[in-house]
Amino acid sequence: MSNRLQYGAIIALCLFAFNFLQIDSNLSLMTQWQILQGHVEQDFDQIDWAFSRLPRLAMALLVGACIGLIGSVIQQLTRNPLLSPTTLGTSSGAWLGLIVLSIAWPEGQTHYQAMAAMTGSILALSLVLLISGIRQLTGLSIVLSGMAVNLLFGAITTALILLNEEYAQNLFIWGAGDLSQNGWDKFHWLWPHCLVGIAILLYAGKPLTLLRLGQSGAKGRGLNVTALFLILMLCGLWMLSAAITMVGVIGFLGLVSPNLARLIGARTATSELYWSSLLGALILIMADNLALFIGTFSFDIVPTGLATALLGAPMLIWLILRQKNQETNTSFQTIRGQSHLSQKGLCFVFALLIMIILLGIFSHFELDHFVLRLPNEFSWELKWPRLLSALSAGAAMAVSGVIMQRLIHNPLAVPDLLGLSAGAVLAMVGFSAYFGIRMGQLGRWLPLLAV
């Protein structure tokens, strides 16, 4: 890596950090320097700058460096540039662990948040490895397994929050990644938990360099690959759990930072670790600058995780475009069963569908008891639109999946994975929010907006 790039990255980090302290601030540079020396007067602007803006800057630097370092460790251990705490599902697991703790044992949040997040992240990683297999770390299957675990844990987390609003509703913004600070308490709690990152920077470079020879080559030179994987992965998950406990889920950093470090010239394992940490801090500072800048115009709290996605997604797309010609494409064969569905199989599927429909019609919950009876006029008015909507929507999504998979010849081509569902939702919600029109008032225009 050239000295120009090194100096450029460091200067950019300093400039963005300085600009971060000046956004929407009325304090002079002399006053800011006096605050840094410990002279804080009883003035709102000075107190806000000293106990909100400064700790937020320190937290952004620490969290960004930690997540960038974790992403580099994961990618070097697995030799897979598509992996990160987010794509492995560990971030979703840590977040689920925190939600379960806040609901099941609110009193334990004071001392056991990091352990709950750690337990959730280990559970997610174990589930991903169970699905894909320990020998598939370098392939695309582990990425798809992580995506499935992300969807599963995300759905469970959302359900728990909605069913326990009195305990977890205030965690929605936190889950989007919020660096807002009300003092130095969170930073003082977090930095000791991240000291293990210094040990990784100092001592993990040599074994990770040996691992580049392959597992058999590294074992032949005396490296215990299994122990290295467990130690570094647990250390990384510990830092990740501590960071998520304090600021919530921050995406893209762990994926983009190591790839960007290699792109600009980090060739050795040690240099990649160092530069992934620096670039992670730089990207998060840039994202927080953007979040504060947008907040000055919108007068609302803009989660840093949202700004990170706005910056990280274009960076990731750019990296993909740079490297897509250098990577080998992995082809997937369509899963094939019998040449045709037998008459017995068709009758079984049809009978199962009828049974589920009847169960939906006749089943009721009354006073926490499950009963089977004919629906009355009131319950029937509630049931039949829902049943008809479920049948229609399920059939429509199945047909769209068949069309896409047949046209693209890829069994993974579905509206969700291709981003079509997210684009449709964005169009409808954006139009409704911008023009101040409720969804129900759009009527027949909703499908057109979704398209």
Side-chain angles (χ1 to χ4, degrees), residues 77-79 134-138 210-226 229:
L77 280 176
T78 60
R79 292 179 295 162
I134 194 67
R135 299 181 181 275
Q136 302 296 326
L137 297 179
T138 59
L210 288 177
L211 194 60
R212 294 187 175 188
L213 301 175
Q215 292 189 8
S216 58
K219 288 180 180 179
R221 287 162 176 79
L223 179 65
N224 191 331
V225 178
T226 303
F229 182 86

Side-chain angles (χ1 to χ4, degrees), residues 84-205:
S84 71
T86 305
T87 56
L88 269 181
T90 51
S91 295
S92 299
W95 187 238
L96 177 60
L98 289 174
I99 296 297
V100 171
L101 178 67
S102 65
I103 294 173
W105 190 22
E107 298 82 4
Q109 294 185 80
T110 305
H111 302 290
Y112 299 102
Q113 282 188 317
M115 292 303 300
M118 181 75 171
T119 303
S121 61
I122 291 177
L123 177 62
L125 178 62
S126 302
L127 188 56
V128 169
L129 294 178
L130 181 64
I131 296 172
S132 65
I134 194 67
R135 299 181 181 275
Q136 302 296 326
L137 297 179
T138 59
L140 189 59
S141 61
I142 191 171
V143 179
L144 299 176
S145 302
M147 185 182 301
V149 171
N150 269 322
L151 293 174
L152 173 64
F153 281 26
I156 296 174
T157 301
T158 303
L160 289 175
I161 292 177
L162 293 177
L163 294 175
N164 301 271
E165 295 185 6
E166 66 276 15
Y167 298 105
Q169 188 67 35
N170 60 333
L171 300 178
F172 260 125
I173 294 180
W174 191 25
D178 183 23
L179 289 176
S180 299
Q181 304 295 310
N182 295 317
W184 289 92
D185 294 339
K186 290 184 177 180
F187 179 79
H188 290 321
W189 183 92
L190 180 59
W191 75 261
H193 292 77
C194 298
L195 289 178
V196 66
I198 298 177
I200 293 176
L201 289 172
L202 293 177
Y203 301 110

Side-chain angles (χ1 to χ4, degrees), residues 66-83:
C66 286
I67 296 180
L69 177 62
I70 296 167
S72 178
V73 168
I74 291 175
Q75 292 185 13
Q76 292 195 61
L77 280 176
T78 60
R79 292 179 295 162
N80 191 334
L82 299 177
L83 293 185

Side-chain angles (χ1 to χ4, degrees), residues 330-338 401-414:
T330 303
S331 60
F332 290 88
Q333 298 296 326
T334 303
I335 300 175
R336 298 187 181 279
Q338 299 180 1
V402 170
I403 293 174
M404 290 182 184
Q405 292 181 14
R406 290 287 183 173
L407 288 176
I408 305 177
H409 301 285
N410 190 334
L412 301 179
V414 291

Side-chain angles (χ1 to χ4, degrees), residues 175-179 247 249-252 284 287-288 291 302-310:
D178 183 23
L179 289 176
V247 301
V249 180
I250 303 290
F252 285 101
L284 190 54
D288 215 18
V302 179
T304 308
L306 171 62
T308 306
L310 292 176

Side-chain angles (χ1 to χ4, degrees), residues 276-288:
S276 295
S277 302
L278 177 63
L279 292 172
L282 175 59
I283 295 173
L284 190 54
I285 285 294
M286 293 169 59
D288 215 18

Side-chain angles (χ1 to χ4, degrees), residues 397 415-416 419-434 439 442 446-451:
M397 287 187 286
D416 292 336
L420 305 184
S421 300
V425 173
L426 175 62
M428 293 186 292
V429 174
F431 186 88
S432 175
Y434 184 79
M439 289 284 192
L442 291 175
L446 269 178
L448 181 62
L449 289 173
V451 172

